[in-house]
Amino acid sequence: EADLRTALSLDPSLAPAAVNLADLYRAQNRDEEGERILKDAISRSPNEASLEHALGLLMVRQKRGTQGLDLLAAAAHSEPGNARYVYVYAVALNGAGQTRAAIETLERSIKAHPYDRDSLAALVNFLEQSGDPAKALTYAQRLDELEPGNPQVRQMLKELNEHQHG
């Protein structure tokens, strides 16, 4: 904690130090302090995706979904090359009952990151939830290419095939 505070005092715009300090506070159930650190860092480095992402996660954890979703969206849009930010945003959308938006978000991301495991697995689940097993199957097959022989993927394929064929 002391080292991270020192790093921030030397360079208040140091996003990794702010994110790590906020994460340390999260682990210690001190999210209010983490929120203060992140908001201060954002005021110094607006549009820094890692800060928006961290604060968005904190707010989702605190059941402040709308604010959290806005921040997670901002991080995903600021850094579309970061498949993790897009994936987390999509999971939050789905959690907020916006499955269609979550699917669209992941499908856009998959074009740039065709073999991102987390995004593919989430897409399979969300498509299955929304009643589109045929489309889910295409992404499950891509997961199978990525991880041949993975028993979870094999099971997923089996269930989707059975679902599709009655």
Side-chain angles (χ1 to χ4, degrees):
E1 182 179 351
D3 291 345
L4 291 168
R5 284 189 166 286
T6 301
L8 276 174
S9 67
L10 295 172
D11 182 357
S13 66
L14 200 61
V19 169
N20 289 334
L21 185 56
D23 194 50
L24 177 68
Y25 287 151
R26 177 196 53 77
Q28 299 171 344
N29 292 315
R30 294 163 64 190
D31 263 344
E32 331 54 62
E33 290 172 76
E35 182 174 345
R36 247 193 329 276
I37 294 288
L38 290 169
K39 283 182 171 175
D40 182 55
I42 286 172
S43 72
R44 296 168 197 280
S45 302
N47 303 320
E48 171 56 52
S50 63
L51 297 170
E52 294 168 327
H53 182 76
L55 186 56
L57 285 173
L58 185 151
M59 291 188 166
V60 168
R61 271 196 314 277
Q62 292 184 336
K63 309 285 185 251
R64 290 152 66 191
T66 306
Q67 287 173 291
L69 272 175
D70 289 347
L71 284 155
L72 292 174
H77 293 301
S78 298
E79 229 177 271
N82 187 325
R84 181 86 194 149
Y85 291 170
V86 178
Y87 160 76
V88 169
Y89 172 52
V91 169
L93 279 170
N94 186 60
Q98 298 179 42
T99 303
R100 177 60 29 214
I103 290 169
E104 289 165 7
T105 298
L106 287 172
E107 285 182 330
R108 276 193 306 276
S109 180
I110 284 290
K111 287 187 178 104
H113 311 280
Y115 290 97
D116 181 67
R117 192 211 178 287
D118 291 336
S119 295
L120 286 168
L123 253 177
V124 171
N125 288 326
F126 300 165
L127 284 163
E128 197 174 13
Q129 279 173 27
S130 70
D132 195 346
K135 203 170 194 184
L137 186 58
T138 63
Y139 292 112
Q141 287 163 337
R142 197 180 301 176
L143 259 180
D144 189 44
E145 288 172 37
L146 189 62
E147 299 180 352
N150 177 324
Q152 291 168 306
V153 175
R154 291 268 145 197
Q155 184 61 34
M156 192 187 289
L157 282 168
K158 182 174 175 275
E159 288 170 13
L160 286 168
N161 276 311
E162 286 169 2
H163 191 88
Q164 201 171 1
H165 299 298

